[in-house]
Amino acid sequence: MRLRRALFGVASLVTAIMVAACGSSQDETGADNASSKQVAMDEQQAMKRAEEIIHQAVDGMSPKPTLKRVGPVPIGACVARDDGGSDDRVQLSLTYQLTGVPAGQAKSLVRQARDAWVKRGYKFQSSDADWSDPFPTVSMRTEPDDFWMDAITGVLDRAKGTGVASIGVTSPCFAPSDATATADPASFRRTAPDEQAERRALDHSSRIYDALEVRHAPTTEGEGLGTYQDAEATYAHHTWSTEPLADDTLAQVMQRARAYFASAGWTVRHAPMATGVPALMARHAADGAVAQLAPSTDGTLRVAVSTPAVRPGAASV
């Protein structure tokens, strides 16, 4: 069962820039401002709603981009499992690059996505983007169903001011259907190593480890390095945990992680956790890597890095 959850978590991480914390969200002060009840929906309803939110942002854009799906689109185990809810809850994430338009239009596309969502009454997670920044990011959520979404500008060429735009939507956590609960774990199977992808995953993981400046714990079941594949994509995944950390040490470690991601060109989002310290979800625009740093109730910090086996194209937005 643990391996099944780990594999679901791999696929979910690849597609998500940030993750809804099981139906709960927080404002800038950290106060809970949405119901934490389990959401009544199924996979089909969640997928339909996520696609709807993406098209609400994209359909009216000018110039008109083409949606390019990033990675697989699985049902995954609820990432924020330490909030006291059932371990069997699931969620799904969709991420699309907006391609087929000049790379210099990335900022405009993000602004247009923001405007479309604002018109529909959706709320900012914290505050509006800094539009003086050449590479702004918008993070919002829907009401009352509490889907989380981002419109992101990743850096392609900082000197030229060009970037790549992408939109991601993550559902709240919900109870799995019988079909999801009994899904064949082989649908997310370990495959022959992809050396290039695994090398990139280890490189990113090593740099994160150096930035945290704490010792790692012994490898446990479900952790380590591997290449995985489902029906749509192949990716490398590396997971490990730190030793248990005191509260003040954990706060310092997370601060160092945020500083590292900011300096290394990662886009960072936060997901509230029951531990009181938000998880960090980060995406590297240059190679499509996704990293998750999630505090656990046992005091450890869980780290996961995923890299796609095929390097994303960077010729257009």
Side-chain angles (χ1 to χ4, degrees):
M1 183 65 177
R2 182 172 181 176
L3 177 59
R4 173 177 174 270
R5 289 175 184 154
L7 293 177
F8 279 142
V10 169
S12 181
L13 179 59
V14 171
T15 61
I17 286 235
M18 51 82 65
V19 179
C22 300
S24 172
S25 62
Q26 294 179 325
D27 60 21
E28 292 179 85
T29 64
D32 187 57
N33 59 14
S35 173
S36 60
K37 67 180 183 300
Q38 185 163 286
V39 178
M41 68 172 69
D42 58 25
E43 175 183 356
Q44 184 177 5
Q45 292 169 327
M47 183 73 73
K48 182 178 179 180
R49 177 60 170 146
E51 292 278 9
E52 178 186 40
I53 294 166
I54 288 171
H55 281 280
Q56 288 170 348
V58 172
D59 287 351
M61 285 183 175
S62 179
K64 184 74 171 180
T66 299
L67 293 180
K68 178 182 178 183
R69 183 172 287 176
V70 179
V73 186
I75 282 288
C78 180
V79 172
R81 292 191 300 272
D82 288 335
D83 66 350
S86 168
D87 252 6
D88 291 330
R89 290 174 300 166
V90 295
Q91 62 188 148
L92 63 80
S93 298
L94 295 178
T95 301
Y96 287 94
Q97 283 189 0
L98 308 183
T99 67
V101 300
Q105 293 289 330
K107 181 175 181 178
S108 173
L109 297 182
V110 169
R111 183 187 288 273
Q112 291 179 63
R114 185 281 307 267
D115 291 346
W117 286 334
V118 167
K119 287 180 180 178
R120 293 182 176 274
Y122 300 155
K123 305 300 182 182
F124 290 101
Q125 291 285 11
S126 54
S127 59
D128 196 0
D130 179 3
W131 296 105
S132 64
D133 189 326
F135 305 101
T137 296
V138 173
S139 180
M140 301 182 70
R141 63 181 175 85
T142 66
E143 289 187 343
D145 50 1
D146 206 32
F147 280 69
W148 290 29
M149 61 276 198
D150 291 85
I152 293 173
T153 310
V155 179
L156 289 180
D157 188 327
R158 188 172 293 276
K160 295 181 180 179
T162 58
V164 57
S166 66
I167 289 180
V169 177
T170 301
S171 76
C173 295
F174 55 91
S177 65
D178 290 341
T180 301
T182 59
D184 182 2
S187 62
F188 299 101
R189 61 188 181 278
R190 185 159 184 161
T191 66
D194 183 289
E195 293 184 3
Q196 185 178 20
E198 290 195 353
R199 191 179 306 115
R200 292 203 310 272
L202 284 173
D203 181 62
H204 284 308
S205 195
S206 178
R207 293 173 186 271
I208 293 170
Y209 175 72
D210 290 343
L212 299 186
E213 299 180 11
V214 292
R215 298 181 61 180
H216 62 77
T219 301
T220 61
E221 180 188 358
E223 294 185 335
L225 175 68
T227 298
Y228 295 87
Q229 183 177 17
D230 72 356
E232 297 189 37
T234 301
Y235 40 87
H237 187 66
H238 185 227
T239 57
W240 53 278
S241 300
T242 69
E243 292 185 336
L245 306 173
D247 290 347
D248 56 346
T249 302
L250 176 60
Q252 295 170 7
V253 166
M254 298 299 276
Q255 184 175 3
R256 289 195 289 267
R258 286 190 292 269
Y260 164 71
F261 285 132
S263 67
W266 295 70
T267 299
V268 180
R269 280 291 157 265
H270 302 82
M273 301 283 284
T275 59
V277 180
L280 296 184
M281 316 297 293
R283 185 172 187 272
H284 196 277
D287 67 2
V290 178
Q292 171 196 338
L293 279 66
S296 180
T297 51
D298 63 5
T300 62
L301 180 64
R302 302 189 302 265
V303 180
V305 178
S306 294
T307 54
V310 178
R311 184 182 176 89
S316 62
V317 174

